[in-house]
Amino acid sequence: MARVLTPQSEDFPRWYQDVIAKAELAETGPVRGSQVIRPTGWAIWERMVAEVDLRIKDADAENCSFPLLIPESYLKREAEHVEGFAPELAVVTIGGGKELEEPAVIRPTSETVIGEFMAKWIQSYRDLPLLLNQWANVLRWEMRTRLFLRSAEFHWQEGHTAHATREDARDYVRRILHDVYEDFMVNILAIPVVVGRKTVRERFAGATDTYTLEGLMRDGKALQMGTSHELGQNFAKAFDIGFLGSDGKQHHAWTTSWGVSTRMVGGMIMAHGDDNGLRVPPRLAPVQAYVMVVKDGEGVSEAAQSIHKALKAAGVRVKLDTRTDVPFGRRAVDAELRGYPVRIELGPRDLKEGNVTIVRRVDGSKAAVSVDAAAKAVTDALEADQQALYDSALAYREAHTSDATTLAEALEAAQDGFVRLPWDACGEDGETQANQQGVSVRCLVRADGSVPDSGDEPGLIAYLARSY
RNA sequence: CGGGACGUGGCGCAGCUUGGUAGCGCACCCGCUUUGGGAGCGGGGGGUCGCAGGUUCAAAUCCUGUCGUCCCGACCA
């Protein structure tokens, strides 16, 4: 078999770029840091959107749309927020050929505009909670960019909510963290995640508490797959989001924000991909089954049509390929690069025996199955391989997670995956030292693995790793 | 922002040292033969060499300026 991609073991970043190019997922745009997402890549993102959106709605948040441009003055109202974002803002100063009275910032995130409007819409405790979400693109002028993982412009969903009490805000942030994000990542993306709390240093600009979901990529580096923040009353005070309580007194609301982005596409690629290309988890895959006519003749295309129909009827997302003028090898390699979970090959040779060949992307296995049993075999394979991908990602993570008792030990082990180190043995000074060596504290968890309410709880465990 | 490199058909590159008006691989188009792991042969289309200026009879090649991109570092939900 001809070598299509740079092997992961030879040069992982190169492999990553190769897959994205060869599978035609995306390429860089004309302006620095911008990216063009091609149909194959966008289809994967659309599936992510569909699944995450379902869960967001189950959490009772409603979708809406806020403007791309934000008055510059809004950003300045929350001190830490401006400080955090100022260096990466793009600002519009001219409109219609005239200098604008007030420059408009292209949104890097929308806490500020949404806060402004929440203030208008909330009068009473009866208006709370207010649960909003928007699917949007945002812009951050990043110094160094990589397709999907860190692009200047990227697509995401950003949820913004306001609550009457701190407890309610906290509960909601946790609900999003677990019921929306963790559930999606584990059950659809098939990526195990460490769910925890960010240290003060890694906290979102303007938040009081930041939570994260960290995945481990196949090169031993961690990737933040999503975050959820408690903003306390910081934004409520800056934007005057107030309400009259049942006690007849005026209060500031407690707000939250949370998001996942196109970065997850990069995470899916790096958590599951192998030297033959993508391995897209079946439940996520825009194309789950790829029906391929190997060669014409002897009723082959009729059989292909009927299998295509049967699979569709069984609820499988299926693509039919009858391009017999394109060589077999090219089509097989393309299907593997794109990570279609199951390929059904039909040719006169198999059909003579009443069979088709079923090829599974996860383990590369090939099996002859009778035409009648094909649909069932495909749905069974999809289910089994969803689990198989999760199991292998979990096994990889377990094999690349170690325990350390001292910082020095941890820094050594962090060269190849996660290290668990008692937070007491690390601390903020240790975190600074780790950062200097390219290692960061990804998050803090309790000894039982649950998410801490505060960074000051005794007995916390820090997860350290190199990261994207 | 500090250090390094590079801009030549769609992509990847050679040519530049020793100026003479552009070449290779892939991709693309046509034809025939092929098709169970990126097919073979033959034919063909497409670039004025990032941009501007200069030297020269003559510039992709030399000089100056300029713009852009990439890599390393710093920076970074």
Side-chain angles (χ1 to χ4, degrees), chain A residues 371-392:
Chain A
V371 174
D372 296 337
K376 175 75 162 67
V378 169
T379 52
D380 287 351
L382 291 174
E383 206 162 308
D385 289 345
Q386 175 77 29
Q387 187 64 41
L389 269 185
Y390 180 79
D391 291 345
S392 80

mmCIF file of all heavy atoms in Angstrom, chain A residues 371-392:
data_model
loop_
_atom_site.group_PDB
_atom_site.id
_atom_site.type_symbol
_atom_site.label_atom_id
_atom_site.label_comp_id
_atom_site.label_asym_id
_atom_site.label_seq_id
_atom_site.Cartn_x
_atom_site.Cartn_y
_atom_site.Cartn_z
ATOM 1 N N VAL A 371 -25.801 -10.836 1.147
ATOM 2 C CA VAL A 371 -26.510 -9.604 0.791
ATOM 3 C C VAL A 371 -27.664 -9.337 1.755
ATOM 4 O O VAL A 371 -27.866 -8.206 2.202
ATOM 5 C CB VAL A 371 -27.049 -9.697 -0.656
ATOM 6 C CG1 VAL A 371 -27.904 -8.479 -0.986
ATOM 7 C CG2 VAL A 371 -25.875 -9.785 -1.625
ATOM 8 N N ASP A 372 -28.399 -10.375 2.080
ATOM 9 C CA ASP A 372 -29.560 -10.187 2.940
ATOM 10 C C ASP A 372 -29.189 -9.738 4.350
ATOM 11 O O ASP A 372 -29.953 -9.021 5.003
ATOM 12 C CB ASP A 372 -30.358 -11.504 3.039
ATOM 13 C CG ASP A 372 -30.908 -11.895 1.678
ATOM 14 O OD1 ASP A 372 -31.051 -10.984 0.832
ATOM 15 O OD2 ASP A 372 -31.156 -13.095 1.468
ATOM 16 N N ALA A 373 -28.030 -10.172 4.809
ATOM 17 C CA ALA A 373 -27.648 -9.853 6.179
ATOM 18 C C ALA A 373 -26.832 -8.567 6.274
ATOM 19 O O ALA A 373 -26.431 -8.145 7.361
ATOM 20 C CB ALA A 373 -26.851 -11.013 6.774
ATOM 21 N N ALA A 374 -26.597 -7.938 5.125
ATOM 22 C CA ALA A 374 -25.679 -6.797 5.091
ATOM 23 C C ALA A 374 -26.127 -5.637 5.984
ATOM 24 O O ALA A 374 -25.337 -5.114 6.776
ATOM 25 C CB ALA A 374 -25.487 -6.315 3.659
ATOM 26 N N ALA A 375 -27.408 -5.259 5.874
ATOM 27 C CA ALA A 375 -27.874 -4.097 6.629
ATOM 28 C C ALA A 375 -27.695 -4.308 8.131
ATOM 29 O O ALA A 375 -27.210 -3.429 8.846
ATOM 30 C CB ALA A 375 -29.333 -3.805 6.295
ATOM 31 N N LYS A 376 -28.059 -5.489 8.573
ATOM 32 C CA LYS A 376 -27.929 -5.799 9.998
ATOM 33 C C LYS A 376 -26.462 -5.799 10.422
ATOM 34 O O LYS A 376 -26.091 -5.270 11.480
ATOM 35 C CB LYS A 376 -28.559 -7.181 10.263
ATOM 36 C CG LYS A 376 -28.400 -7.715 11.673
ATOM 37 C CD LYS A 376 -29.343 -7.010 12.655
ATOM 38 C CE LYS A 376 -29.526 -7.786 13.948
ATOM 39 N NZ LYS A 376 -28.315 -7.864 14.756
ATOM 40 N N ALA A 377 -25.616 -6.376 9.567
ATOM 41 C CA ALA A 377 -24.186 -6.426 9.885
ATOM 42 C C ALA A 377 -23.617 -5.013 10.009
ATOM 43 O O ALA A 377 -22.765 -4.736 10.851
ATOM 44 C CB ALA A 377 -23.440 -7.205 8.803
ATOM 45 N N VAL A 378 -24.111 -4.109 9.165
ATOM 46 C CA VAL A 378 -23.621 -2.734 9.197
ATOM 47 C C VAL A 378 -24.043 -2.044 10.494
ATOM 48 O O VAL A 378 -23.220 -1.435 11.184
ATOM 49 C CB VAL A 378 -24.141 -1.926 7.981
ATOM 50 C CG1 VAL A 378 -23.864 -0.434 8.166
ATOM 51 C CG2 VAL A 378 -23.472 -2.424 6.704
ATOM 52 N N THR A 379 -25.300 -2.149 10.839
ATOM 53 C CA THR A 379 -25.746 -1.468 12.059
ATOM 54 C C THR A 379 -25.059 -2.051 13.291
ATOM 55 O O THR A 379 -24.707 -1.319 14.211
ATOM 56 C CB THR A 379 -27.284 -1.519 12.212
ATOM 57 O OG1 THR A 379 -27.725 -2.862 12.088
ATOM 58 C CG2 THR A 379 -27.956 -0.669 11.150
ATOM 59 N N ASP A 380 -24.843 -3.365 13.289
ATOM 60 C CA ASP A 380 -24.123 -3.979 14.409
ATOM 61 C C ASP A 380 -22.696 -3.440 14.501
ATOM 62 O O ASP A 380 -22.193 -3.133 15.578
ATOM 63 C CB ASP A 380 -24.060 -5.502 14.258
ATOM 64 C CG ASP A 380 -25.412 -6.152 14.528
ATOM 65 O OD1 ASP A 380 -26.328 -5.426 14.995
ATOM 66 O OD2 ASP A 380 -25.560 -7.367 14.263
ATOM 67 N N ALA A 381 -22.050 -3.338 13.330
ATOM 68 C CA ALA A 381 -20.660 -2.873 13.301
ATOM 69 C C ALA A 381 -20.574 -1.433 13.785
ATOM 70 O O ALA A 381 -19.665 -1.066 14.530
ATOM 71 C CB ALA A 381 -20.100 -2.985 11.886
ATOM 72 N N LEU A 382 -21.534 -0.613 13.390
ATOM 73 C CA LEU A 382 -21.510 0.797 13.792
ATOM 74 C C LEU A 382 -21.573 0.916 15.310
ATOM 75 O O LEU A 382 -20.826 1.684 15.923
ATOM 76 C CB LEU A 382 -22.680 1.559 13.153
ATOM 77 C CG LEU A 382 -22.588 1.757 11.635
ATOM 78 C CD1 LEU A 382 -23.865 2.391 11.099
ATOM 79 C CD2 LEU A 382 -21.372 2.614 11.272
ATOM 80 N N GLU A 383 -22.448 0.125 15.878
ATOM 81 C CA GLU A 383 -22.601 0.179 17.329
ATOM 82 C C GLU A 383 -21.343 -0.311 18.039
ATOM 83 O O GLU A 383 -20.841 0.323 18.957
ATOM 84 C CB GLU A 383 -23.795 -0.679 17.721
ATOM 85 C CG GLU A 383 -24.437 -0.247 19.013
ATOM 86 C CD GLU A 383 -25.842 -0.840 19.122
ATOM 87 O OE1 GLU A 383 -26.635 -0.675 18.161
ATOM 88 O OE2 GLU A 383 -26.110 -1.484 20.151
ATOM 89 N N ALA A 384 -20.839 -1.441 17.581
ATOM 90 C CA ALA A 384 -19.660 -2.025 18.214
ATOM 91 C C ALA A 384 -18.448 -1.107 18.071
ATOM 92 O O ALA A 384 -17.650 -0.961 19.002
ATOM 93 C CB ALA A 384 -19.359 -3.385 17.591
ATOM 94 N N ASP A 385 -18.318 -0.459 16.922
ATOM 95 C CA ASP A 385 -17.130 0.348 16.686
ATOM 96 C C ASP A 385 -17.176 1.695 17.408
ATOM 97 O O ASP A 385 -16.131 2.274 17.710
ATOM 98 C CB ASP A 385 -16.891 0.513 15.183
ATOM 99 C CG ASP A 385 -16.421 -0.803 14.566
ATOM 100 O OD1 ASP A 385 -16.023 -1.704 15.340
ATOM 101 O OD2 ASP A 385 -16.457 -0.944 13.336
ATOM 102 N N GLN A 386 -18.368 2.189 17.667
ATOM 103 C CA GLN A 386 -18.486 3.384 18.497
ATOM 104 C C GLN A 386 -17.831 3.072 19.850
ATOM 105 O O GLN A 386 -17.014 3.831 20.362
ATOM 106 C CB GLN A 386 -19.964 3.748 18.710
ATOM 107 C CG GLN A 386 -20.204 4.913 19.671
ATOM 108 C CD GLN A 386 -19.909 6.267 19.043
ATOM 109 O OE1 GLN A 386 -20.032 6.442 17.838
ATOM 110 N NE2 GLN A 386 -19.499 7.229 19.855
ATOM 111 N N GLN A 387 -18.205 1.924 20.398
ATOM 112 C CA GLN A 387 -17.677 1.512 21.695
ATOM 113 C C GLN A 387 -16.185 1.210 21.609
ATOM 114 O O GLN A 387 -15.413 1.587 22.485
ATOM 115 C CB GLN A 387 -18.451 0.268 22.170
ATOM 116 C CG GLN A 387 -18.119 -0.159 23.592
ATOM 117 C CD GLN A 387 -18.526 0.898 24.614
ATOM 118 O OE1 GLN A 387 -19.597 1.497 24.503
ATOM 119 N NE2 GLN A 387 -17.659 1.162 25.594
ATOM 120 N N ALA A 388 -15.792 0.558 20.520
ATOM 121 C CA ALA A 388 -14.383 0.190 20.371
ATOM 122 C C ALA A 388 -13.493 1.427 20.337
ATOM 123 O O ALA A 388 -12.408 1.451 20.930
ATOM 124 C CB ALA A 388 -14.190 -0.627 19.095
ATOM 125 N N LEU A 389 -13.953 2.475 19.664
ATOM 126 C CA LEU A 389 -13.162 3.705 19.602
ATOM 127 C C LEU A 389 -13.037 4.333 20.984
ATOM 128 O O LEU A 389 -11.970 4.783 21.385
ATOM 129 C CB LEU A 389 -13.809 4.720 18.656
ATOM 130 C CG LEU A 389 -13.388 4.692 17.200
ATOM 131 C CD1 LEU A 389 -14.048 5.832 16.453
ATOM 132 C CD2 LEU A 389 -11.866 4.782 17.058
ATOM 133 N N TYR A 390 -14.142 4.360 21.702
ATOM 134 C CA TYR A 390 -14.093 4.920 23.060
ATOM 135 C C TYR A 390 -13.148 4.096 23.922
ATOM 136 O O TYR A 390 -12.301 4.648 24.626
ATOM 137 C CB TYR A 390 -15.488 4.950 23.700
ATOM 138 C CG TYR A 390 -15.426 5.534 25.095
ATOM 139 C CD1 TYR A 390 -15.359 6.918 25.274
ATOM 140 C CD2 TYR A 390 -15.374 4.714 26.217
ATOM 141 C CE1 TYR A 390 -15.247 7.462 26.541
ATOM 142 C CE2 TYR A 390 -15.253 5.254 27.490
ATOM 143 C CZ TYR A 390 -15.197 6.634 27.653
ATOM 144 O OH TYR A 390 -15.063 7.166 28.908
ATOM 145 N N ASP A 391 -13.291 2.780 23.844
ATOM 146 C CA ASP A 391 -12.448 1.910 24.662
ATOM 147 C C ASP A 391 -10.969 2.121 24.364
ATOM 148 O O ASP A 391 -10.142 2.164 25.270
ATOM 149 C CB ASP A 391 -12.808 0.437 24.444
ATOM 150 C CG ASP A 391 -14.182 0.103 25.024
ATOM 151 O OD1 ASP A 391 -14.704 0.917 25.820
ATOM 152 O OD2 ASP A 391 -14.733 -0.955 24.670
ATOM 153 N N SER A 392 -10.642 2.273 23.092
ATOM 154 C CA SER A 392 -9.218 2.411 22.787
ATOM 155 C C SER A 392 -8.714 3.792 23.197
ATOM 156 O O SER A 392 -7.579 3.932 23.658
ATOM 157 C CB SER A 392 -8.921 2.089 21.319
ATOM 158 O OG SER A 392 -9.222 3.183 20.501
#
